[in-house]
């Protein structure tokens, strides 16, 4: 019996040594340790042995199994190492090839335009001011000289919170413009003041050119000796830089806003190119923003003397500016979250607006 086991061990170790592929080695493993394998057959005979035979033969048979198992593991490691060395010698990666294109997001046009506007106004000395989106009635309406009977205060135009959420007798609401940022700046900061106030605003309106939530940017200048000429120069400089055209022409039309006096609507000239309106020239006119000299009552409400301090303010929709510059025709698509639209109109994360490189580059 011992002679037969020694012979079997010699044969199996020779078969392991001669295996030159992983498949051939696996065949040797099955022939030895599989269910019908020679070593497995010897292990099964131990059940029929007497205690004395099991004490004598058991260690020999178990030693055979352990030797074969160790031999198989060593040979497998050697074959895998040889295969790896072969692949390393025959295969290589050209590190000079461009990396494969990976899916990536884009910067939303609204975010891009916000950055463009901040860059333009920063060059003119304006700071960016931000404020709360849940406002009280006084900062959103009363301080801006908007009377109780004004349509903007109506429930069908403004999102009000329940009466029990009122603070100090003032109703709470979702701000309808970023003008409350101007009020809070004037009541907390000594003039001169030169700020822009971008952000989300809310109105009860929804169609192709209006959404219940949209983005607005307003500007405010408070200083001594400010007049309408300063306002026109600021808007003209801003629009030329934003649309990246020197032939931008403005037309100021008398208008009415409760918080400015005089008030003007600002139209920008456009030309028809291949059937499309392009900003620049004066073939036609398009209204782009509202503006005016800050009303005396607004300055007084903020604790300033209107005989000493004057100023101008202006406001426009960021979404509308994006539509005009980048050729979008439906405001609702801005908020649909359609990845196809974002891939088409979005901007690369590295397209940071700069005046030297072009704000829309």
């Amino acid at each position: 019996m011992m002679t037969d086991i020694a012979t079997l061990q010699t044969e199996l170790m020779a078969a392991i040594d001669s295996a030159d592929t992983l498949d051939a080695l696996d065949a040797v493993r099955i022939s030895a340790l599989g269910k019908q394998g020679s070593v497995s057959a010897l292990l099964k005979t131990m059940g029929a042995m007497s205690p004395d035979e099991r004490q004598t033969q058991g260690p020999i048979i178990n030693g055979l199994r352990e030797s074969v198992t160790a031999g198989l593991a060593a040979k497998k490691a050697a074959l895998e190492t040889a295969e790896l060395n072969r692949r390393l010698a025959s295969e290589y990666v050209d590190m000079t090839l461009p990396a494969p294109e990976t899916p990536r997001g884009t910067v939303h046009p609204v975010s891009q335009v916000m950055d463009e506007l901040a860059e333009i106004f920063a060059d003119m000395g304006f700071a960016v001011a931000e404020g709360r989106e849940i406002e009280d009635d006084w900062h959103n309406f009363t301080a801006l000289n908007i009377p109780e009977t004004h349509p903007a205060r109506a429930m069908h135009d403004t999102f009000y919170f329940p009466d029990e959420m009122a603070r100090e007798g003032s109703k709470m609401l979702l701000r309808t413009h970023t003008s409350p940022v101007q009020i809070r700046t004037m009541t907390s900061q000594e003039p001169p003041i030169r700020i822009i106030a971008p952000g989300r605003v809310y109105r009860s309106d929804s169609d192709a050119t209006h959404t219940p939530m949209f983005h607005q940017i307003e500007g405010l200048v408070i200083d001594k000796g400010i007049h309408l000429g300063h306002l026109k120069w600021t808007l003209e400089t801003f629009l030329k830089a934003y649309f990246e055209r020197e032939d931008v022409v403005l037309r100021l039309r008398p208008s009415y806003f409760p918080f400015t006096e005089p008030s003007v609507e600002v139209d920008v000239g456009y030309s028809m190119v291949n059937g499309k309106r392009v900003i620049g020239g004066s073939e036609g006119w398009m209204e782009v923003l509202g503006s005016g000299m800050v009303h005396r009552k607004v300055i007084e409400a903020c604790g300033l003397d209107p005989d000493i301090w004057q100023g101008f303010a202006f406001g426009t929709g960021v979404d509308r500016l994006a539509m005009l510059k980048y050729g979008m025709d439906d405001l609702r698509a801005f908020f649909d979250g359609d990845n196809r639209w974002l891939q088409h109109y979005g901007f690369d994360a590295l397209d940071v607006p700069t005046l030297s490189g072009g704000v829309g580059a």
Side-chain angles (χ1 to χ4, degrees), residues 104-172:
R104 57 183 177 180
T106 58
V107 176
H108 195 284
V110 169
S111 299
Q112 182 76 8
V113 170
M114 286 276 203
D115 289 343
E116 293 179 17
L117 299 178
E119 177 73 14
I120 292 169
F121 282 106
D123 191 62
M124 291 192 284
F126 284 72
V128 176
E130 296 181 332
R132 60 191 71 181
E133 295 180 16
I134 298 177
E135 264 295 356
D136 59 66
D137 183 83
W138 189 85
H139 286 92
N140 197 80
F141 292 128
T142 306
L144 289 161
N145 194 39
I146 299 177
E148 294 285 345
T149 56
H150 195 281
R153 287 182 180 254
M155 293 290 293
H156 67 266
D157 196 61
T158 300
F159 293 107
Y160 283 96
F161 286 91
D163 291 341
E164 54 267 26
M165 295 184 65
R167 294 182 181 177
E168 299 179 357
S170 184
K171 292 182 178 181
M172 302 303 293

